[in-house]
Amino acid sequence: MRCIAIDDEPRALEIIDSYINKIDFLDLVGKFRSPLDAMDFLLQNKIDLIFLDINMPDITGTEFVKVMNQKPMVIFTTAYSEYAIESYELDAIDYLLKPFEFVRFLKSVIKAKEIYGLKYGVKNKSTINLAHFDKNIQIKSGVETYQVKIDDIRYIEGLGNYINVYLSDKKFVTYISLKDFLEKLPKKQFIRIHKSYIVSITHIKSFENHQVKLDDKTIPIGKNYKEKFIDLIKKG
């Protein structure tokens, strides 16, 4: 499917571009900072799908959809949840609330591909294994965003509003709370054992009453987390 992305934030366009590069049935043929910039391109080119921000200067994404004569499929991408109802009234394929991760993006474009196939009678030649992508997590460190295998994460250390994510051969520093990051991880694989630490159960080599041992790291078990940790290990 031929697609374009419209967003006034350059970083948002970069993220969509990087996601599309991972998907073989999408072809990104244009990136625009404004719907007005994209208008001439759309008049002269056949486009199947638009990734469209909503809150932009001059004309909003929803206003732009209303004035288009030929309407490709639209997936709205926005940081504002209050536009959700209006977007679905415009028959949008999906509504992605920023910041969205790759798996969420993938589910959205698979939905668009299914609708495209029904409309044009195109058989689905691409097989997507969502379980594969669920084994990865995005971590933004500095200006870069990394795809990290969840199985490679050994433990996470909380530092106020930041965390250190430790792999066997590297460390990522990212702006997120320990609690919020834990919610992104598989519940059966990771557990918080201290106010400042989350550990991967698969990387624990041994444990005692008040600590767990990884290959080269000993991490304390907080008294408020001990019971839950023991219960999970027993079920393990």
Side-chain angles (χ1 to χ4, degrees):
M1 293 186 296
R2 289 167 55 85
C3 58
I4 64 171
I6 305 174
D7 199 304
D8 61 328
E9 298 178 4
R11 179 58 183 160
L13 291 175
E14 290 175 10
I15 291 173
I16 291 174
D17 192 352
S18 69
Y19 286 175
I20 289 174
N21 282 334
K22 302 175 188 291
I23 302 171
D24 61 0
F25 59 79
L26 292 181
D27 181 18
L28 184 65
V29 296
K31 295 186 293 184
F32 304 92
R33 297 283 301 277
S34 155
L36 299 178
D37 295 337
M39 195 170 291
D40 287 341
F41 185 87
L42 287 168
L43 291 173
Q44 299 176 38
N45 296 273
K46 182 183 181 299
I47 299 300
D48 302 305
L49 177 63
I50 301 177
F51 297 95
L52 182 60
D53 188 22
I54 292 181
N55 193 18
M56 291 182 286
D58 298 324
I59 180 172
T60 68
T62 53
E63 290 171 339
F64 183 63
V65 171
K66 291 175 183 177
V67 302
M68 282 194 297
N69 291 324
Q70 299 295 325
K71 292 182 173 59
M73 294 182 291
V74 173
I75 294 175
F76 284 111
T77 60
T78 179
Y80 302 92
S81 60
E82 59 265 29
Y83 297 108
I85 294 176
E86 184 180 6
S87 73
Y88 287 117
E89 290 175 348
L90 295 172
D91 296 324
I93 298 298
D94 207 347
Y95 185 91
L96 297 179
L97 190 61
K98 299 176 183 177
F100 47 85
E101 297 189 352
F102 177 67
V103 172
R104 178 67 183 87
F105 179 86
L106 182 62
K107 290 178 180 179
S108 184
V109 298
I110 288 174
K111 181 179 178 182
K113 187 174 188 294
E114 290 172 349
I115 293 172
Y116 179 85
L118 290 172
K119 183 177 181 180
Y120 295 104
V122 178
K123 292 184 178 179
N124 188 348
K125 296 181 180 180
S126 301
T127 56
I128 302 292
N129 185 357
L130 283 175
H132 166 73
F133 294 107
D134 282 330
K135 292 180 180 179
N136 294 274
I137 189 170
Q138 286 186 355
I139 297 177
K140 183 178 181 181
S141 186
V143 297
E144 300 291 334
T145 300
Y146 299 88
Q147 287 283 346
V148 176
K149 289 183 179 180
I150 288 176
D151 287 345
D152 290 343
I153 298 175
R154 299 169 63 237
Y155 67 97
I156 304 102
E157 179 185 22
L159 300 167
N161 292 325
Y162 289 83
I163 61 169
N164 289 327
V165 182
Y166 289 89
L167 283 60
S168 59
D169 58 344
K170 64 183 66 175
K171 177 184 75 172
F172 295 103
V173 181
T174 186
Y175 182 78
I176 189 173
S177 71
L178 204 63
K179 178 183 177 181
D180 289 343
F181 192 75
L182 180 60
E183 292 178 356
K184 298 174 180 289
L185 298 170
K187 300 296 186 291
K188 294 183 179 180
Q189 189 173 346
F190 290 86
I191 184 170
R192 189 168 184 173
I193 65 168
H194 188 276
K195 64 179 182 179
S196 300
Y197 289 100
I198 296 167
V199 297
S200 168
I201 294 172
T202 58
H203 286 280
I204 294 175
K205 299 301 180 182
S206 64
F207 64 93
E208 301 173 7
N209 283 336
H210 303 293
Q211 62 185 22
V212 299
K213 292 184 178 180
L214 285 65
D215 285 327
D216 57 351
K217 177 70 175 180
T218 299
I219 298 176
I221 302 174
K223 64 178 182 179
N224 294 331
Y225 302 88
K226 182 177 179 180
E227 183 177 350
K228 185 176 179 180
F229 170 71
I230 297 299
D231 287 344
L232 186 61
I233 292 296
K234 286 179 179 179
K235 292 176 182 178

